[in-house]
Amino acid sequence: MSAVESAASRPALRYGERRTALLAAAVRVGAEQGLRNLTYRAVAREAGVAHGLVAHHFGTRDALLEEALQYSLAKSVPAISARPGSGDLDALFEGIVEMVQTLPHDLAFQYELILESRRRPELRPHVQSLYRTFEQALADELACGEMDLDQDFVHLIFAALDGLVFQQLSIADPERTDAALAHLRTLLALAGHRST
């Protein structure tokens, strides 16, 4: 079934649902076709609406990109812990493999943005915001467990997590990813003992 046939078979969206549907469509287009193909027409086709509706809701392509990033982050950042705010190391990263399986478009969209920022420096603030958001969520979760780790160590832990997520998204080896995440939690536990 083509994208046009798929869009035609979808029920009409109510006004309040349109913006969210457009953001989800933008994430899917960016993930599947790359950011260079993230156009009003492509998003509208994916969402099954007129392309003027995309312009109406977002005004500019940059605004669409920024809001699509925030939409994808709102869905993926909470997966840092299975029990947010608990500081429980056993819960940390527990849902990562499942997140990659359930949110592949959101994560692929984020990686597409990261890679495109190498070619288009004007996108780097978006990438910096993405990394700051994830690292701050990780730092906050660690602080809930009374782990006082410096920013460089949090950056290191997030870089390891980011690499594991990328590999899981690319090659889907959940057992290996889970084993590596267990070692990452052990490292954090050891660092936590040293910081107290």
Side-chain angles (χ1 to χ4, degrees):
M1 179 183 302
S2 74
V4 173
E5 292 168 329
S6 176
S9 67
R10 293 182 196 134
L13 298 170
R14 290 190 305 247
Y15 184 78
E17 299 169 331
R18 289 180 186 162
R19 186 177 198 80
T20 300
L22 290 171
L23 291 171
V27 166
R28 284 191 306 274
V29 168
E32 293 173 3
Q33 301 173 32
L35 291 187
R36 290 179 181 213
N37 294 309
L38 184 65
T39 64
Y40 287 168
R41 286 191 190 281
V43 171
R45 187 172 36 253
E46 180 67 27
V49 299
H51 75 274
L53 190 61
V54 182
H56 168 75
H57 277 283
F58 302 101
T60 67
R61 185 175 178 272
D62 285 343
L64 172 63
L65 179 64
E66 172 64 29
E67 290 196 45
L69 174 60
Q70 295 310 315
Y71 171 81
S72 74
L73 286 173
K75 292 168 62 184
S76 56
V77 170
I80 283 181
S81 176
R83 290 185 289 286
S86 69
D88 181 0
L89 279 183
D90 291 331
L92 198 59
F93 315 135
E94 188 177 298
I96 295 296
V97 169
E98 182 180 326
M99 175 197 61
V100 174
Q101 293 168 341
T102 58
L103 301 175
H105 289 107
D106 294 274
L107 298 169
F109 173 80
Q110 292 167 19
Y111 286 120
E112 286 289 336
L113 176 63
I114 292 165
L115 292 172
E116 186 65 21
S117 75
R118 292 197 68 234
R119 294 178 287 273
R120 295 179 46 208
E122 69 272 16
L123 295 176
R124 288 190 185 140
H126 296 299
V127 174
Q128 291 166 331
S129 172
L130 181 151
Y131 281 131
R132 267 194 313 272
T133 300
F134 272 111
E135 286 187 19
Q136 188 60 55
L138 177 57
D140 291 347
E141 191 59 36
L142 293 171
C144 288
E146 299 182 12
M147 294 185 72
D148 186 24
L149 302 175
D150 67 45
Q151 287 181 318
D152 293 331
F153 193 81
V154 171
H155 177 69
L156 173 67
I157 295 300
F158 179 73
L161 177 63
D162 192 32
L164 291 169
V165 168
F166 186 78
Q167 287 180 15
Q168 180 63 24
L169 186 63
S170 303
I171 59 175
D173 188 350
E175 293 81 19
R176 190 163 190 206
T177 301
D178 276 335
L181 290 168
H183 286 297
L184 196 53
R185 283 190 289 275
T186 300
L187 267 172
L188 279 167
L190 292 170
H193 289 305
R194 290 186 179 166
S195 71
T196 55

